[in-house]
Coordinates of all heavy atoms in Angstrom, one line a residue:
M23 N 120.7 69.9 60.6 CA 119.4 70.2 60.0 C 118.5 70.6 61.0 O 118.4 70.2 62.1 CB 118.9 68.7 59.4 CG 117.6 68.9 58.7 SD 116.7 67.5 58.8 CE 116.7 66.7 60.4
Q24 N 117.6 71.5 60.6 CA 116.5 72.1 61.5 C 115.2 71.7 60.9 O 115.1 71.8 59.5 CB 116.7 73.6 61.5 CG 118.0 74.1 62.1 CD 118.1 74.0 63.5 OE1 116.9 74.1 64.2 NE2 119.2 73.8 64.2
I25 N 114.2 71.5 61.6 CA 113.0 71.2 61.2 C 112.4 72.3 60.2 O 111.7 72.0 59.2 CB 111.9 70.7 62.3 CG1 112.4 69.5 62.9 CG2 110.5 70.6 61.8 CD1 111.6 69.1 64.1
R26 N 112.7 73.5 60.7 CA 112.1 74.7 60.2 C 112.6 74.9 58.6 O 112.1 75.5 57.8 CB 112.4 76.0 60.8 CG 113.9 76.3 60.9 CD 114.1 77.5 61.6 NE 115.5 77.9 61.6 CZ 116.3 77.9 62.7 NH1 115.8 77.6 63.9 NH2 117.6 78.1 62.6
D27 N 113.6 74.2 58.3 CA 114.4 74.3 57.0 C 113.8 73.3 56.0 O 114.1 73.2 54.8 CB 115.8 74.0 57.1 CG 116.5 75.1 57.9 OD1 116.1 76.2 58.0 OD2 117.6 74.6 58.6
L28 N 112.8 72.4 56.4 CA 112.2 71.4 55.5 C 111.2 72.0 54.7 O 110.6 73.0 55.0 CB 111.6 70.3 56.4 CG 112.6 69.5 57.2 CD1 111.8 68.6 58.2 CD2 113.7 68.7 56.6
T29 N 111.0 71.4 53.5 CA 109.9 71.8 52.5 C 108.6 71.3 53.1 O 108.6 70.3 53.8 CB 110.2 71.3 51.2 OG1 110.2 69.9 51.1 CG2 111.6 71.8 50.6
Q30 N 107.5 71.9 52.7 CA 106.2 71.4 53.0 C 106.1 69.9 52.7 O 105.4 69.0 53.4 CB 105.1 72.1 52.5 CG 103.7 71.8 53.1 CD 103.7 72.0 54.6 OE1 104.0 73.1 55.1 NE2 103.2 71.0 55.2
S31 N 106.6 69.5 51.5 CA 106.4 68.1 51.0 C 107.2 67.2 52.1 O 106.7 66.1 52.3 CB 106.8 68.0 49.7 OG 108.1 68.2 49.5
Q32 N 108.3 67.6 52.4 CA 109.2 66.7 53.5 C 108.4 66.7 54.7 O 108.4 65.6 55.3 CB 110.5 67.4 53.6 CG 111.4 67.3 52.4 CD 112.7 68.1 52.5 OE1 112.7 69.2 53.0 NE2 113.8 67.5 52.3
I33 N 107.9 67.8 55.1 CA 107.1 67.8 56.5 C 106.0 66.9 56.3 O 105.7 66.0 57.3 CB 106.7 69.3 56.8 CG1 107.8 70.1 57.2 CG2 105.6 69.3 57.9 CD1 107.6 71.6 57.2
D34 N 105.1 67.0 55.3 CA 104.0 66.1 55.0 C 104.5 64.6 55.1 O 103.8 63.8 55.8 CB 103.4 66.4 53.7 CG 102.6 67.8 53.7 OD1 102.5 68.4 54.8 OD2 102.4 68.3 52.7
Y35 N 105.5 64.3 54.4 CA 106.0 62.9 54.4 C 106.4 62.5 55.8 O 106.2 61.3 56.1 CB 107.2 62.9 53.3 CG 108.1 61.6 53.4 CD1 107.6 60.5 52.8 CD2 109.2 61.4 54.2 CE1 108.2 59.3 52.7 CE2 109.9 60.3 54.2 CZ 109.5 59.2 53.4 OH 110.2 57.9 53.5
L36 N 107.2 63.2 56.5 CA 107.7 62.8 57.8 C 106.6 62.7 58.7 O 106.6 61.8 59.6 CB 108.7 63.9 58.3 CG 110.1 63.9 57.6 CD1 110.8 65.1 57.9 CD2 110.8 62.6 57.9
E37 N 105.5 63.5 58.7 CA 104.4 63.4 59.6 C 103.8 62.0 59.5 O 103.2 61.4 60.5 CB 103.3 64.4 59.2 CG 103.7 65.8 59.9 CD 102.7 66.9 59.5 OE1 101.7 66.6 58.7 OE2 102.8 67.9 60.1
V38 N 103.7 61.4 58.3 CA 103.1 60.1 58.0 C 104.2 59.0 58.3 O 103.7 58.0 59.0 CB 102.8 60.0 56.5 CG1 102.3 58.6 56.2 CG2 101.6 61.0 56.2
M39 N 105.4 59.1 58.0 CA 106.4 58.1 58.0 C 107.1 57.9 59.3 O 107.5 56.8 59.6 CB 107.4 58.2 56.9 CG 106.9 58.2 55.5 SD 105.9 56.7 55.1 CE 107.2 55.5 55.2
C40 N 107.1 58.9 60.2 CA 107.9 58.8 61.4 C 107.2 58.2 62.6 O 107.7 57.9 63.6 CB 108.4 60.2 62.0 SG 109.7 60.9 60.8
N41 N 105.9 57.9 62.5 CA 105.1 57.2 63.4 C 105.3 58.0 64.9 O 105.6 57.4 65.9 CB 105.7 55.8 63.7 CG 104.6 55.0 64.5 OD1 103.4 55.3 64.4 ND2 105.1 54.1 65.1
F42 N 105.0 59.3 64.8 CA 105.1 60.2 65.8 C 104.0 59.8 66.9 O 102.8 59.5 66.5 CB 105.0 61.7 65.5 CG 106.2 62.3 64.7 CD1 105.9 63.0 63.6 CD2 107.4 62.0 65.3 CE1 107.0 63.4 62.9 CE2 108.5 62.7 64.5 CZ 108.3 63.3 63.3
T43 N 104.3 60.1 68.1 CA 103.3 60.0 69.2 C 102.5 61.3 69.0 O 103.0 62.3 68.2 CB 103.8 59.9 70.6 OG1 104.6 61.1 70.9 CG2 104.6 58.7 70.8
E44 N 101.4 61.6 69.7 CA 100.6 62.7 69.6 C 101.4 64.0 70.0 O 101.5 65.1 69.4 CB 99.4 62.7 70.6 CG 98.4 63.8 70.3 CD 97.1 63.6 71.3 OE1 96.7 62.5 71.4 OE2 96.6 64.6 71.8
D45 N 102.2 63.8 71.1 CA 103.0 64.9 71.6 C 104.1 65.2 70.6 O 104.5 66.4 70.5 CB 103.4 64.7 73.0 CG 102.5 64.9 74.1 OD1 101.5 65.6 73.8 OD2 102.7 64.5 75.2
E46 N 104.7 64.2 70.1 CA 105.9 64.4 69.1 C 105.4 65.1 67.9 O 106.1 66.0 67.4 CB 106.4 63.0 68.8 CG 107.2 62.3 69.8 CD 107.6 60.9 69.6 OE1 107.0 60.3 68.6 OE2 108.5 60.3 70.4
L47 N 104.2 64.7 67.4 CA 103.7 65.4 66.2 C 103.3 66.8 66.5 O 103.6 67.7 65.7 CB 102.4 64.6 65.8 CG 101.7 65.2 64.5 CD1 102.6 65.2 63.3 CD2 100.4 64.5 64.3
K48 N 102.8 67.1 67.6 CA 102.5 68.5 68.0 C 103.8 69.4 68.0 O 103.9 70.4 67.5 CB 101.7 68.7 69.4 CG 101.4 70.0 69.8 CD 100.4 70.7 68.9 CE 100.0 72.0 69.5 NZ 99.2 72.6 68.6
L49 N 104.7 68.8 68.6 CA 106.1 69.6 68.7 C 106.7 69.6 67.3 O 107.2 70.7 66.9 CB 107.1 68.7 69.7 CG 108.4 69.4 69.8 CD1 108.4 70.8 70.3 CD2 109.4 68.6 70.6
F50 N 106.7 68.5 66.5 CA 107.2 68.6 65.1 C 106.5 69.8 64.3 O 107.1 70.5 63.7 CB 106.9 67.3 64.5 CG 107.4 67.2 63.0 CD1 108.8 67.0 62.8 CD2 106.5 67.2 62.0 CE1 109.2 67.1 61.4 CE2 107.0 67.3 60.6 CZ 108.2 67.1 60.4
Q51 N 105.1 69.8 64.5 CA 104.4 70.8 63.7 C 104.7 72.2 64.2 O 104.9 73.2 63.4 CB 102.9 70.6 63.9 CG 102.5 69.3 63.0 CD 101.2 68.9 63.4 OE1 100.5 69.1 64.4 NE2 100.6 68.1 62.5
L52 N 105.0 72.4 65.5 CA 105.3 73.8 66.0 C 106.7 74.1 65.6 O 106.8 75.3 65.2 CB 105.1 73.7 67.6 CG 103.8 73.7 68.2 CD1 103.9 73.4 69.7 CD2 103.0 74.9 67.9
R53 N 107.5 73.2 65.7 CA 109.0 73.5 65.2 C 109.0 73.8 63.7 O 109.9 74.6 63.2 CB 109.9 72.4 65.7 CG 110.0 72.2 67.1 CD 110.6 73.4 67.9 NE 112.0 73.3 67.6 CZ 112.8 74.4 67.8 NH1 112.3 75.5 68.2 NH2 114.1 74.2 67.6
A54 N 108.2 73.2 63.0 CA 108.2 73.5 61.6 C 107.7 74.8 61.2 O 108.1 75.4 60.2 CB 107.2 72.4 60.9
K55 N 107.1 75.4 62.3 CA 106.5 76.8 62.1 C 107.6 77.8 62.7 O 107.2 78.9 62.9 CB 105.2 76.9 62.7 CG 104.0 76.2 62.1 CD 102.7 76.3 62.9 CE 101.7 75.6 62.2 NZ 100.5 75.6 63.1
N56 N 108.7 77.3 63.0 CA 109.9 78.1 63.4 C 109.6 78.8 64.9 O 110.1 79.8 65.3 CB 110.3 79.1 62.6 CG 111.7 79.6 62.7 OD1 112.5 78.9 63.3 ND2 111.9 80.9 62.4
I57 N 108.7 77.9 65.7 CA 108.4 78.4 67.1 C 109.6 77.8 67.9 O 109.9 76.7 68.0 CB 107.1 77.9 67.5 CG1 106.0 78.5 66.5 CG2 106.8 78.2 69.0 CD1 104.6 78.1 66.9
P58 N 110.1 78.8 68.8 CA 111.2 78.4 69.7 C 110.9 77.3 70.6 O 109.7 77.2 71.1 CB 111.6 79.8 70.3 CG 111.0 80.8 69.5 CD 109.9 80.3 68.8
L59 N 111.8 76.5 71.0 CA 111.5 75.4 71.9 C 110.9 75.8 73.2 O 110.0 75.2 73.8 CB 112.8 74.6 72.2 CG 112.7 73.2 72.7 CD1 111.9 72.4 71.7 CD2 114.0 72.6 72.9
E60 N 111.4 76.9 73.7 CA 110.8 77.4 75.0 C 109.3 77.7 74.8 O 108.5 77.5 75.7 CB 111.6 78.7 75.5 CG 112.9 78.4 75.9 CD 113.9 78.3 74.7 OE1 113.6 78.6 73.6 OE2 115.0 77.7 74.9
Q61 N 109.0 78.4 73.7 CA 107.5 78.7 73.4 C 106.7 77.4 73.3 O 105.5 77.4 73.6 CB 107.4 79.7 72.3 CG 106.1 80.3 72.1 CD 106.0 81.3 71.1 OE1 107.0 81.7 70.5 NE2 104.9 81.8 70.8
C62 N 107.4 76.6 72.6 CA 106.7 75.2 72.3 C 106.3 74.6 73.7 O 105.3 74.0 73.9 CB 107.5 74.1 71.6 SG 107.8 74.7 69.8
A63 N 107.2 74.6 74.7 CA 106.9 74.0 76.0 C 105.9 74.8 76.7 O 105.0 74.1 77.2 CB 108.2 74.2 76.9
E64 N 105.7 76.0 76.5 CA 104.6 76.8 77.0 C 103.2 76.4 76.5 O 102.3 76.2 77.1 CB 104.8 78.3 76.9 CG 105.8 78.9 77.8 CD 106.1 80.3 77.6 OE1 105.1 81.0 77.2 OE2 107.1 80.9 77.9
I65 N 103.2 76.3 75.0 CA 102.0 76.0 74.3 C 101.6 74.6 74.7 O 100.4 74.3 74.7 CB 102.3 76.1 72.8 CG1 102.5 77.5 72.4 CG2 101.3 75.4 72.0 CD1 103.1 77.7 71.0
M66 N 102.6 73.7 74.8 CA 102.2 72.3 75.1 C 102.0 72.0 76.5 O 101.8 70.9 77.0 CB 103.4 71.4 74.5 CG 103.4 71.4 73.0 SD 104.7 70.4 72.5 CE 104.1 68.7 72.7
N67 N 102.3 73.1 77.5 CA 102.0 73.0 78.9 C 103.1 71.9 79.5 O 102.6 71.0 80.2 CB 100.6 72.7 79.3 CG 100.3 73.0 80.7 OD1 101.0 73.8 81.3 ND2 99.4 72.2 81.3
R68 N 104.3 72.0 79.0 CA 105.3 71.1 79.5 C 106.5 71.8 80.0 O 106.7 73.1 79.8 CB 105.8 70.1 78.3 CG 104.8 69.3 77.7 CD 105.3 68.6 76.5 NE 106.4 67.6 76.8 CZ 106.2 66.3 76.9 NH1 105.1 65.8 76.5 NH2 107.2 65.5 77.2
G69 N 107.4 71.2 80.7 CA 108.6 71.8 81.2 C 109.6 71.9 80.1 O 109.6 71.1 79.2
I70 N 110.5 72.7 80.1 CA 111.6 72.8 79.0 C 112.3 71.6 79.0 O 112.7 71.1 77.9 CB 112.4 74.1 79.4 CG1 113.2 74.4 78.0 CG2 113.2 74.1 80.5 CD1 112.5 74.7 76.7
D71 N 112.6 70.9 80.1 CA 113.6 69.7 80.1 C 112.8 68.6 79.4 O 113.4 67.8 78.5 CB 114.0 69.3 81.5 CG 115.0 70.3 82.0 OD1 115.7 70.9 81.3 OD2 115.1 70.4 83.3
S72 N 111.6 68.4 79.7 CA 110.7 67.4 79.1 C 110.5 67.7 77.6 O 110.4 66.7 76.7 CB 109.5 67.0 79.8 OG 108.5 68.3 79.7
T73 N 110.4 69.0 77.3 CA 110.2 69.3 75.8 C 111.6 69.1 75.1 O 111.5 68.6 73.9 CB 109.9 70.8 75.8 OG1 108.6 71.0 76.5 CG2 109.6 71.2 74.3
K74 N 112.7 69.4 75.8 CA 114.0 69.0 75.0 C 114.0 67.5 74.8 O 114.7 67.1 73.7 CB 115.2 69.6 76.0 CG 115.3 71.0 75.9 CD 116.4 71.5 76.8 CE 116.6 73.0 76.8 NZ 117.7 73.4 77.7
Q75 N 113.7 66.7 75.8 CA 113.8 65.3 75.7 C 112.9 64.9 74.5 O 113.3 64.0 73.7 CB 113.4 64.6 76.9 CG 113.5 63.1 76.9 CD 113.2 62.5 78.2 OE1 112.6 63.1 79.1 NE2 113.5 61.2 78.4
L76 N 111.8 65.4 74.5 CA 110.8 65.1 73.4 C 111.3 65.6 72.0 O 111.3 64.8 71.0 CB 109.4 65.7 73.7 CG 108.3 65.4 72.7 CD1 107.8 63.9 72.8 CD2 107.1 66.4 73.0
S77 N 112.0 66.7 72.0 CA 112.6 67.2 70.7 C 113.6 66.2 70.3 O 113.9 65.9 69.0 CB 113.2 68.6 71.0 OG 113.8 69.0 69.8
R78 N 114.3 65.6 71.1 CA 115.5 64.6 70.7 C 114.8 63.4 70.1 O 115.3 63.0 69.1 CB 116.4 64.3 72.0 CG 117.4 65.3 72.4 CD 118.4 64.9 73.3 NE 117.7 64.7 74.7 CZ 117.6 65.6 75.6 NH1 118.1 66.9 75.4 NH2 117.1 65.3 76.7
K79 N 113.7 63.0 70.7 CA 113.0 61.8 70.1 C 112.5 62.1 68.7 O 112.7 61.3 67.8 CB 112.0 61.4 71.1 CG 112.3 60.8 72.4 CD 111.1 60.4 73.1 CE 111.6 59.9 74.5 NZ 110.4 59.5 75.3
V80 N 112.0 63.2 68.5 CA 111.5 63.6 67.2 C 112.7 63.7 66.2 O 112.4 63.2 65.1 CB 110.8 65.1 67.3 CG1 110.6 65.7 66.0 CG2 109.4 65.1 68.2
M81 N 113.7 64.3 66.7 CA 114.9 64.4 65.7 C 115.4 63.0 65.4 O 115.9 62.8 64.3 CB 115.9 65.4 66.2 CG 115.5 66.9 66.3 SD 114.9 67.5 64.7 CE 116.3 67.2 63.7
D82 N 115.5 62.3 66.3 CA 116.0 60.8 66.1 C 115.1 60.3 65.0 O 115.6 59.6 64.1 CB 115.9 60.0 67.3 CG 117.1 60.3 68.3 OD1 118.0 61.0 67.9 OD2 117.0 60.0 69.3
K83 N 113.8 60.3 65.1 CA 112.8 59.7 64.2 C 113.0 60.3 62.8 O 112.9 59.7 61.8 CB 111.3 59.8 64.7 CG 111.1 58.9 65.8 CD 109.6 59.0 66.2 CE 109.4 58.0 67.3 NZ 108.0 58.0 67.7
V84 N 113.1 61.6 62.8 CA 113.4 62.5 61.5 C 114.6 62.0 60.8 O 114.5 61.7 59.7 CB 113.3 63.9 61.8 CG1 113.9 64.7 60.5 CG2 112.0 64.4 62.2
K85 N 115.7 61.9 61.5 CA 116.9 61.5 61.0 C 116.9 60.2 60.5 O 117.6 59.8 59.4 CB 118.1 61.7 62.0 CG 118.4 63.1 62.4 CD 119.3 63.2 63.4 CE 119.7 64.7 63.8 NZ 120.5 64.8 64.9
R86 N 116.2 59.3 61.0 CA 116.1 57.9 60.4 C 115.4 57.9 59.1 O 115.5 57.0 58.2 CB 115.3 57.0 61.3 CG 116.3 56.4 62.4 CD 115.5 55.4 63.3 NE 115.3 55.9 64.7 CZ 114.3 55.9 65.5 NH1 113.1 55.3 65.1 NH2 114.3 56.5 66.5
E87 N 114.4 58.7 58.9 CA 113.7 58.8 57.6 C 114.4 59.7 56.5 O 114.0 59.5 55.3 CB 112.2 59.3 57.9 CG 111.4 58.4 58.6 CD 111.1 57.1 57.9 OE1 111.1 57.1 56.6 OE2 111.0 56.1 58.4
I88 N 115.3 60.6 56.8 CA 115.9 61.4 55.8 C 117.1 60.7 55.3 O 117.8 60.1 56.0 CB 116.1 62.9 56.4 CG1 114.9 63.5 56.7 CG2 117.0 63.7 55.4 CD1 114.9 64.9 57.1

């Protein structure tokens, strides 16, 4: 499952229900717009490794809710 494949109603639901941190929410929103992880790291002014780690946390929370 990819975040970009979710419907807008699913995205809205997950934004509320997943209890994301501020950074997790920002990454979730960027990935929902189909922005590549490397570009997300640049936008968020983070290293790629920390962005990958953050992405895993986001996906863990998403998978618990779906």
Side-chain angles (χ1 to χ4, degrees):
M23 180 207 48
Q24 300 281 331
I25 292 172
R26 67 175 181 249
D27 297 330
L28 299 172
T29 65
Q30 187 59 51
S31 62
Q32 290 172 316
I33 290 168
D34 295 341
Y35 171 81
L36 291 168
E37 284 179 350
V38 172
M39 298 305 293
C40 285
N41 195 30
F42 291 129
T43 65
E44 187 177 325
D45 283 343
E46 289 169 347
L47 179 59
K48 179 69 175 170
L49 181 60
F50 178 78
Q51 291 168 336
L52 291 170
R53 297 295 284 160
K55 294 177 184 175
N56 201 24
I57 296 176
L59 198 58
E60 294 78 12
Q61 191 174 351
C62 291
E64 288 180 27
I65 291 168
M66 296 177 69
N67 198 31
R68 297 175 68 105
I70 189 63
D71 289 337
S72 65
T73 305
K74 286 179 182 178
Q75 183 178 18
L76 187 63
S77 180
R78 284 189 290 273
K79 290 179 182 179
V80 168
M81 290 309 297
D82 286 345
K83 289 182 178 185
V84 166
K85 288 176 184 175
R86 275 186 248 139
E87 288 298 324
I88 292 184

